[in-house]
Structures are given as structure tokens and as C-alpha cells.
Amino acid sequence: MKNVLTMAGNFASHAIWNVSSGDTLVPIVGFLKGDGTHHMERLMMGSGEAVSVGEIKINQLTDEHTGATFIKDGFVTLESGKTDALIVDVTFSDNSDKKVQFLIPYRNANHQRGFAVHRLKITKASGFESDDYGWISDAFFDGLESHEQGGKIWLEQYEDQAGESSGHYGDENTDFAKEDFEKLKLAPFLIFFFVAGADGKIDKKEVTVFMELLTSSEYLSNPLFNRVITNVINDVPTIISELANQTIDYIAELSMLKLITDRYLVENEANEFKILLLLLGQKIAQASTAELDASTQISQEENAALAAIAVCLGVNV
């Protein structure tokens, strides 16, 4: 496992080198073979498709691989503010239950203060104990420092504390209060459960379509939606499971989302985000039909849910 983590660190350092010049990272999938050699694939496709393909590749390893890593660029909210970050997922072929995720915040090279890389964070260590964090970090750092260019950048352009960053996904740079952003992160899930559960049942096709929509370029092209999805994409099954066991007042929650977006965003930005939420609901409602654009097949209950969403959010179409 240490060798897999070191391999992941080396590819993460390569990614640091890539973004240090201001370029957006083409998602990377790296593999370690049983003979100790490793190779890398760049996912030259749309960002939504790349996320889906990357997750599949690292979770469906062949016998020749001992582990894999998937590295993508993101925009995350930390206690110190929102910033660009490399998100590094690591899997192991000998134990599929064990997974590690690292977050490497960085200041975008287009920032007035120039590029900087910040303190590494372990954001997930499934199947490991807290005592394992030390050797996990050490193994990853061994790989990070082994990359000639990336290792040099880490040493020379490191700043411990992450701060605000302009972000490579767009100009959206709104400073949400922590509790308000936590509610925004649940917005897509509220829409899903309200619409999918309107007829009394949630089927697998609706869940599948919802997860596919979260990585669709149609949504990722919107700065706020992209920011929301980046923060939840690795925890979608967990969030779905948790919300499925809760009683939710959808009218109250949607009305709160309206207040939050109206408070922080200018009118056209708020309305664009609301329209995308409504569109998400419409596509979920259509998921149980033979054709996804067959709006006439949407049930009466789902139509009522969509109408309530439009009213509660105050959508202007």
C-alpha cells in the first residue's frame, strides 16, 4: 500500500507542476503495476465525463495493477476561504474497501500574488485507523518530493495557509457563510428527493440519472453549481443514504435556498442557479420515462413538485 501511495504522490506532484503555470489540469489516472512500474492516462474529454471515467478506472482495477490514483482539479471551500485544489483519490487492488483522498489546496497562478501550494490534507481514509495517517502521509510525500519539477515547486512555492483564490472555473467568488454554503451543497439532493419521491417511490433509474447529471457539463459550466458539485461529488452515496432516512420540509428548505442565493448573488446569477435546479428536477422526473425529453410522461405528482420548486425558488423564466 505504501508503494501505491508513493506512486500517487509522484503523479500529484506532476499535477502541481502542470497547474503552477496557470493551466487547468487535464484529469490524470495513474496506475501501479505488480512489477513496480507505473503509467499515466490523461482523460482528454469533457469534465463531467472525465469524472465518471476516472472513478470507474480506479475502482475496477485489473489483476496486473496493485493500485491507482485519480487526480482532478477542483474549487473547494476551506475555513480560510475558497480556493483551487487538486483532489487526489487513491485505491488499492488487494482491498477495495480501503480508499484515501488527499486535498492539495493551491493559489491559482493568475492570482495577483502568483502561484502557491498549501498544506496537504487527508480528507478521507476509509478502512484505516487514525494512527495510520502518519505513514500514509509519509508515503505520499515520498512520491511528491521524488518528482523533479513538482518537488522543487513544493519546496520553493509552499505557503502553509490557504487563502482566497480566484479559481480556474470562472469568476464566481462569492464568500458564503459556512452554514449557508452547507445548505447550498444539499440543494441538488433536495431537488432529487422532492421530485423522485413525489410519486411515493424512488427507482434505480432516477438515482442513476441524478448521479450522471451531477457530472454533466451543463451544470459544471455554471461556477456556483460547479463549486457545489466539487464539494460533494465524492460523498454522493453517503449524502443520499443520510437524507433518505430524514423527514424533510421541502418547502421550507427550498425557500431558504432562495433567501441564500438572493442574499449573496446578483439577480441574474441567482436566477441562473435556480433555473439549473429546476432543470435538474425536470430531468429527474423524466428519468422514469422511455425518453428523457418526454415531458408529457411526467406524473401529476412530479409536475406538482416541479411547480412548487419554481415557486419556492422564485424562478424567473
Side-chain angles (χ1 to χ4, degrees):
M1 285 189 177
K2 290 184 179 180
N3 289 338
V4 175
L5 290 162
T6 300
M7 174 272 299
N10 181 269
F11 283 128
S13 192
H14 184 87
I16 291 172
W17 179 39
N18 287 173
V19 299
S20 67
S21 61
D23 294 335
T24 299
L25 179 74
V26 175
I28 293 172
V29 179
F31 300 94
L32 180 67
K33 293 185 176 182
D35 61 4
T37 61
H38 53 69
H39 67 282
M40 177 179 70
E41 296 180 16
R42 291 189 180 275
L43 303 182
M44 305 291 292
M45 57 193 71
S47 58
E49 184 180 1
V51 171
S52 298
V53 171
E55 293 292 337
I56 291 172
K57 283 182 175 290
I58 66 169
N59 286 292
Q60 295 183 3
L61 298 175
T62 64
D63 293 338
E64 67 175 328
H65 296 129
T66 58
T69 184
F70 176 39
I71 306 171
K72 54 185 178 291
D73 221 340
F75 195 52
V76 299
T77 300
L78 306 175
E79 291 183 1
S80 55
K82 50 196 177 298
T83 187
D84 294 90
L86 295 173
I87 302 168
V88 185
D89 288 290
V90 187
T91 59
F92 310 90
S93 60
D94 61 347
N95 191 329
S96 60
D97 292 330
K98 290 192 173 184
K99 302 175 189 287
V100 180
Q101 182 183 82
F102 300 93
L103 193 69
I104 306 177
Y106 69 90
R107 188 172 64 223
N108 195 281
N110 296 315
H111 191 279
Q112 61 182 359
R113 293 170 58 197
F115 180 82
V117 63
H118 306 300
R119 186 194 308 171
L120 175 77
K121 300 175 182 292
I122 297 178
T123 51
K124 181 186 297 183
S126 302
F128 293 93
E129 301 295 332
S130 58
D131 291 345
D132 295 322
Y133 281 35
W135 67 261
I136 289 174
S137 297
D138 288 344
F140 188 81
F141 271 116
D142 286 344
L144 191 151
E145 294 172 350
S146 70
H147 190 280
E148 181 179 357
Q149 296 89 348
K152 183 178 180 181
I153 291 170
W154 180 268
L155 291 174
E156 296 179 354
Q157 295 177 260
Y158 177 86
E159 291 183 14
D160 187 64
Q161 184 64 48
E164 296 288 330
S165 177
S166 60
H168 64 274
Y169 279 123
D171 297 327
E172 192 281 321
N173 198 34
T174 306
D175 190 13
F176 294 97
K178 183 177 181 180
E179 60 272 17
D180 289 337
F181 189 68
E182 289 300 313
K183 287 186 176 295
L184 281 178
K185 284 163 57 176
L186 295 180
F189 300 92
L190 293 172
I191 299 298
F192 168 70
F193 278 104
F194 193 19
V195 175
D199 57 2
K201 62 181 185 303
I202 297 177
D203 59 46
K204 289 185 178 179
K205 188 171 185 180
E206 289 169 321
V207 175
T208 300
V209 168
F210 173 61
M211 296 185 73
E212 290 174 350
L213 288 171
L214 288 183
T215 57
S216 167
S217 59
E218 183 174 15
Y219 298 95
L220 293 177
S221 62
N222 175 268
L224 179 54
F225 229 107
N226 191 305
R227 181 175 167 188
V228 167
I229 293 172
T230 299
N231 276 267
V232 302
I233 194 63
N234 294 295
D235 300 308
V236 171
T238 300
I239 296 173
I240 289 177
S241 177
E242 290 176 350
L243 291 180
N245 296 314
Q246 296 181 22
T247 300
I248 301 172
D249 185 340
Y250 293 103
I251 302 302
E253 294 296 331
L254 291 171
S255 298
M256 180 59 69
L257 289 177
K258 178 184 185 301
L259 290 175
I260 293 171
T261 53
D262 289 349
R263 181 187 309 150
Y264 290 96
L265 305 176
V266 297
E267 184 177 355
N268 66 315
E269 291 176 342
N271 195 54
E272 181 180 350
F273 183 70
K274 295 170 187 176
I275 289 175
L276 285 173
L277 287 175
L278 181 60
L279 180 61
L280 179 68
Q282 290 172 339
K283 292 191 174 183
I284 292 167
Q286 294 162 0
S288 57
T289 67
E291 299 292 335
L292 290 182
D293 61 349
S295 58
T296 56
Q297 301 295 318
I298 297 175
S299 71
Q300 183 177 352
E301 294 84 1
E302 289 169 330
N303 266 319
L306 291 172
I309 291 170
V311 172
C312 292
L313 293 179
V315 175
N316 295 318
V317 293

